[in-house]
Amino acid sequence: MRYGDFASLCERSPLPVCRVFGDAVLPTCYPNSYAAGSSRFVNIPDFVISIIAFLLMVYMGFRANRKLAAVGRREMALLLSLFCITLVLNLAGADFIFSSSKANKWLGVVNTALEVSFFWALILFGFVGFQILDDGSFASILAIIVSTAVIFISIGYIAADTAFGISSGLKPKASDPLYSPGLFTVYLVFPLVAIVIYIITQCIIVVKFLAVRLPMLWLLGSLVSFAVAQVLMFVASKKICTGTDNRIDGAFFATLLDTVAVFCIYGFWSSITGDDSEEYAGIYKF
């Protein structure tokens, strides 16, 4: 596979970003589809697990807001809210195919921008514990919202330019319609960089400033869940689909495990900012 080439990825996996390249770009195997008016419902299992994940994230956000003395509770609620929005757009952008090709492309653009924006927000959340800005303050929340919005717009433009040829600079050539190094970099490489930065910041907090090591299991669980999700989505989705007679594919397991990964991030944060335990009292006060 060439760097920047989505052909083999979109052939094997039902990635929302593939919608950017057009309606005809579908995996060779996907779950049985059903008509829904002028649209088609193409992935019921992923739709169901996405709704369950959304409800779980709402509950976790509620729990985070109730931890009144916990450092970064508002930032955590913001991160969970962004993941909820991503799940909702994923329902429309990945589980349905609409009759309008333009609408499908725009949903692919928005999905792509949201997913990348989430990882940017994850980087910022990783630095909350260092108290560069007072957690929960107007400045902290505004910095996350504004910078994430800038990333969303920037990535959205890259994806839209790739889809519609706004400037003709990023739209793939007709001879190589799924080749987009720019989109490949921001969609696949940047999230990996974001995860590495987040893991490093949290390891510094736990190893250098805290006297506990158990929370690292939460971090490890998140990393493993995310890694397995990517393997099932990018490598095994086609085999899962054919092996289950088009009943389910890698998207279902990817959504499930991505949700587990976010849950583990919440568990890690909760375990080192417990506001009801003397063991963790003030541990973020460097």
Side-chain angles (χ1 to χ4, degrees):
M1 183 183 73
R2 288 182 303 163
Y3 184 90
D5 192 359
F6 282 90
S8 60
L9 292 177
C10 292
E11 178 188 357
R12 295 194 304 263
S13 310
L15 300 171
V17 70
C18 296
R19 298 288 183 90
V20 170
F21 300 99
D23 295 346
V25 184
L26 293 172
T28 54
C29 181
Y30 52 87
N32 297 317
S33 61
Y34 302 90
S38 60
S39 307
R40 293 198 67 81
F41 202 172
V42 296
N43 203 329
I44 291 179
D46 186 58
F47 181 86
V48 172
I49 196 64
S50 293
I51 291 177
I52 295 173
F54 175 83
L55 295 175
L56 176 62
M57 292 301 113
V58 170
Y59 173 72
M60 287 163 55
F62 176 74
R63 286 290 301 272
N65 266 321
R66 291 196 62 178
K67 292 170 67 69
L68 299 180
V71 170
R73 68 184 180 91
R74 291 178 178 171
E75 289 82 356
M76 170 54 78
L78 197 60
L79 186 69
L80 295 175
S81 297
L82 185 56
F83 188 68
C84 280
I85 296 172
T86 303
L87 286 170
V88 171
L89 265 296
N90 186 68
L91 293 177
D95 298 336
F96 285 91
I97 296 179
F98 296 93
S99 57
S100 170
S101 175
K102 193 172 183 179
N104 290 326
K105 281 190 174 185
W106 275 115
L107 283 169
V109 167
V110 174
N111 263 292
T112 300
L114 275 173
E115 289 186 27
V116 177
S117 298
F118 174 81
F119 285 100
W120 170 257
L122 182 65
I123 292 177
L124 299 183
F125 181 69
F127 283 97
V128 169
F130 293 97
Q131 297 288 288
I132 297 172
L133 295 173
D134 290 340
D135 70 280
S137 66
F138 177 77
S140 176
I141 299 300
L142 186 65
I144 294 176
I145 292 176
V146 171
S147 63
T148 301
V150 170
I151 293 296
F152 175 81
I153 293 171
S154 301
I155 303 305
Y157 174 79
I158 292 174
D161 201 355
T162 302
F164 301 105
I166 298 173
S167 69
S168 73
L170 295 176
K171 188 173 178 61
K173 298 177 181 178
S175 59
D176 208 357
L178 273 72
Y179 181 67
S180 177
L183 195 59
F184 192 94
T185 300
V186 297
Y187 185 76
L188 295 174
V189 178
F190 174 74
L192 298 179
V193 174
I195 290 170
V196 170
I197 293 174
Y198 175 75
I199 293 294
I200 290 174
T201 58
Q202 302 317 291
C203 285
I204 291 174
I205 288 174
V206 171
V207 174
K208 187 174 181 180
F209 298 107
L210 307 185
V212 291
R213 297 293 181 266
L214 193 60
M216 293 297 290
L217 293 177
W218 282 108
L219 211 55
L220 179 61
S222 178
L223 188 60
V224 170
S225 295
F226 179 78
V228 174
Q230 305 320 299
V231 171
L232 293 177
M233 184 65 149
F234 288 94
V235 180
S237 183
K238 184 178 178 180
K239 293 181 179 179
I240 294 171
C241 181
T242 55
T244 59
D245 294 327
N246 298 75
R247 292 186 178 90
I248 198 170
D249 65 0
F252 170 85
F253 295 105
T255 300
L256 173 63
L257 290 172
D258 283 344
T259 302
V260 171
V262 174
F263 176 79
C264 287
I265 288 174
Y266 172 86
F268 170 78
W269 166 80
S270 181
S271 70
I272 64 174
T273 59
D275 59 347
D276 54 355
S277 171
E278 293 182 1
E279 179 182 0
Y280 299 110
I283 59 177
Y284 263 40
K285 304 302 181 183
F286 304 155

